[in-house]
Amino acid sequence: MAKGIAKRSEDYSRWYTDVIAAAKLADYSPIKGCMVIRPNGYALWERMQAALDKMFKETGHVNAYFPLFIPESFMKKEAEHVEGFAPECAVVTHGGGKKLEEPLIIRPTSETIIWSMYKKWIQSYRDLPILINQWANVVRWEMRTRLFLRTTEFLWQEGHTAHATAEEAEQETLKLLDVYTRFAKDYMAIPVIRGVKTEREKFAGALRTYCIEAMMQDKKALQAGTSHNLGQNFAKAFDVTFQDERGNLDFVYATSWGVSTRLIGAIIMSHGDDEGVIMPPKLAPIQVVIVPIWKSETEKNLILQRVEQLSIEWNGRFSFHVDEREGYRPGWKYNEWEQYGVPIRIEIGPKDLEQNHVILVRRDTQEKQSVEIGILTTTLEKTLDAIQMNLYKRSLKFREENSFYVDDYSEFKKQIEDPSGFFWLHWCGSPECENRLQEETKATIRCIPIDDNVCKEKGRCVICGGESNERVIVAKAY
RNA sequence: CGGGGCGUAGCGCAGUCCGGUUAGCGCGCCUGCUUUGGGAGCAGGAGGUCCCGAGUUCAAAUCUCGGCGCCCCGACCA
């Protein structure tokens, strides 16, 4: 049925790129490693931005914009930070036809330029907290790229906050992790596991990195968002101090947090099927598409008129599109909208008008049902909710079916290859064991789960047999 | 950066080994007619620096040399 889309079971990565092409979400650009986000993809991103932006504002944040260019010397001020990012930085050496005195780095992230400004803005505890977010593009020179998941340039939001106390910074870090968790669940319909990154996997320059991890349909893990407690690292690097109520001078505490267009990849790989992408209703640019069916001009007018009447009460309740195009047959349209992932399709033709009903087709289950026109609007609303819920439940079930507790290393080595999935393992906490794990299995410790996901219990490190107090999640990752 | 594959119409490809008509096919596109409830049919038509450069030759998409680009798989990463 789906022309030009590889089957997930046969070639998952091919399926992924096929689906993006079929849905017209993105295209390869003439620049290596960079993609063009096409209108269908950008419309989705705009919906995501709108929802996230609202959540940021509700938690007290404001938007601002900082420059694309960062003086090279700024990047070098925080030791771990520069080490982490240097290999993937793009550097501008010339401008205005002349060699620059100091090379400019195209931001891979904005901590340094922002903290250079915070230094100017912060003197007293009265200036704190600063809760700024920015929507921007960043560049990280990647060796291997994949549409949405890893491209040289990508779009994201990065929050950068400044606080008077360590506790407040930690609270902020967790608060945003919570925002991301809710966004993943309520909007993207993706269940995530919340956790802390290991020393090795944390953000370069952070004290501690929290993350949300999601399982894709190929059972690999995708980091879907990160929130960093930066402690006083950047304040020290940029000498940002403030006076507290008692006149004592201290360095400012910082956080940063971000999600990117990578989340579009997460949506594709969490919900898509062999026919194409499936947009979660809460984020779908078009939630309902109407395909009118006619044979004659008279019929066409009649049907479109009826659709017009029906849709009056839809305005403001959900987004819809009437596909009136001539020259395409209904079947062709069905397929196109399926590939675009529109959650609900309504078919309405002469037979339906006679019987005063329409055909409603769910994208997630492919289920067809006949709906009386009198209850159509409420049915549509209910069905959109049901699809949103079903996508989430389906993903959660999939993750649970592919998560395993394993206590034997050789058993793990076997199972990570087949069936693969998320493995809850005991780990002693040593970097040596962590490195060995990756070298020998290509899998990594995705996170040490926290709160509702936590699994505190005594055990023995699967690698060295050392003591362990909790299980960590190990998986192959994107 | 290592391994593999590829570059010919908008897309996907054949032709290249073994040089030789006007470079072809499928999809898409344009026009017209018939169609329209799961990717329509017929007829006509438009569209090419055969990745670039140099060389060999009477003659190069095809052979030789050099370059460039892209995709896939690994090491690094949101």
Side-chain angles (χ1 to χ4, degrees), chain A residues 118-163:
Chain A
Y118 282 4
K119 178 178 170 59
K120 292 170 72 174
W121 299 343
I122 299 168
Q123 281 95 41
S124 130
Y125 71 95
R126 292 181 215 274
D127 299 321
L128 296 172
I130 294 181
L131 306 171
I132 286 181
N133 174 63
Q134 90 164 340
W135 291 95
N137 59 337
V138 285
V139 166
R140 297 181 186 178
W141 215 259
E142 298 291 348
M143 300 182 194
R144 252 194 80 202
T145 56
R146 295 196 68 190
L147 294 174
F148 291 115
L149 298 177
R150 176 162 301 106
T151 48
T152 297
E153 179 189 12
F154 58 94
L155 305 183
W156 77 346
Q157 64 59 220
E158 48 180 326
H160 296 272
T161 67
H163 307 267

Side-chain angles (χ1 to χ4, degrees), chain A residues 98-117:
Chain A
K98 284 192 299 191
K99 187 160 189 275
L100 299 175
E101 279 193 24
E102 180 181 0
L104 294 172
I105 304 225
I106 299 181
R107 61 178 167 223
T109 180
S110 302
E111 274 77 5
T112 56
I113 188 90
I114 287 178
W115 278 86
S116 74
M117 297 306 296

Side-chain angles (χ1 to χ4, degrees), chain A residues 204-431:
Chain A
L207 216 59
R208 192 157 46 249
T209 291
Y210 293 96
C211 63
I212 52 174
E213 296 280 333
M215 182 187 285
M216 303 295 103
Q217 290 184 66
D218 61 353
K219 302 172 195 172
K220 283 167 83 173
L222 184 81
Q223 180 175 304
T226 48
S227 185
H228 316 290
N229 183 337
L230 303 174
Q232 295 175 308
N233 289 349
F234 284 89
K236 283 177 180 166
F238 285 86
D239 189 32
V240 186
T241 55
F242 73 105
Q243 269 191 317
D244 66 20
E245 295 91 326
R246 288 185 297 277
N248 299 321
L249 219 54
D250 193 9
F251 287 109
V252 176
Y253 295 85
T255 83
S256 72
W257 27 273
V259 296
S260 71
T261 39
R262 165 178 254 206
L263 292 182
I264 294 175
I267 289 173
I268 297 165
M269 289 198 292
S270 291
H271 304 314
D273 62 17
D274 286 346
E275 313 299 323
V277 302
I278 300 179
M279 300 279 184
K282 285 264 188 65
L283 294 173
I286 296 173
Q287 293 169 303
V288 179
V289 67
I290 297 93
V291 179
I293 297 151
W294 63 74
K295 286 196 173 70
S296 64
E297 210 40 38
T298 328
E299 273 180 0
K300 181 186 171 184
N301 292 334
L302 229 95
I303 303 237
L304 289 180
Q305 217 173 50
R306 193 75 183 96
V307 170
E308 176 77 34
Q309 289 168 1
L310 285 173
S311 64
I312 287 170
E313 56 179 290
W314 297 348
N315 288 308
R317 299 173 82 160
F318 48 81
S319 60
F320 62 94
H321 173 78
V322 185
D323 188 352
E324 310 179 11
R325 285 176 299 176
E326 300 272 3
Y328 293 97
R329 307 172 91 220
W332 195 92
K333 293 178 180 177
Y334 299 166
N335 280 287
E336 182 170 51
W337 294 111
E338 264 163 22
Q339 291 185 339
Y340 289 178
V342 176
I344 295 179
R345 177 176 77 242
I346 298 291
E347 307 172 10
I348 176 162
K351 289 181 214 162
D352 303 303
L353 276 196
E354 273 173 38
Q355 297 163 44
N356 206 41
H357 71 202
V358 302
I359 303 296
L360 182 156
V361 188
R362 278 176 68 149
R363 177 64 184 84
D364 61 334
T365 57
Q366 304 280 24
E367 231 178 302
K368 277 194 184 192
Q369 50 174 306
S370 161
V371 179
E372 255 185 76
I373 281 180
I375 58 163
L376 180 57
T377 302
T378 50
T379 305
L380 285 171
E381 284 182 321
K382 276 186 203 156
T383 309
L384 285 171
D385 286 346
I387 293 172
Q388 183 80 25
M389 193 64 75
N390 180 46
L391 290 176
Y392 179 80
K393 283 191 178 153
R394 202 152 85 174
S395 302
L396 183 60
K397 182 159 175 268
F398 183 82
R399 190 187 79 197
E400 282 171 350
E401 285 170 353
N402 292 288
S403 296
F404 310 99
Y405 282 41
V406 175
D407 293 317
D408 177 73
Y409 192 42
S410 61
E411 187 60 28
F412 165 71
K413 279 192 191 167
K414 253 185 269 166
Q415 292 194 24
I416 189 71
E417 293 308 319
D418 184 34
S420 186
F422 280 12
F423 291 85
W424 296 69
L425 307 182
H426 276 292
W427 169 56
C428 63
S430 80

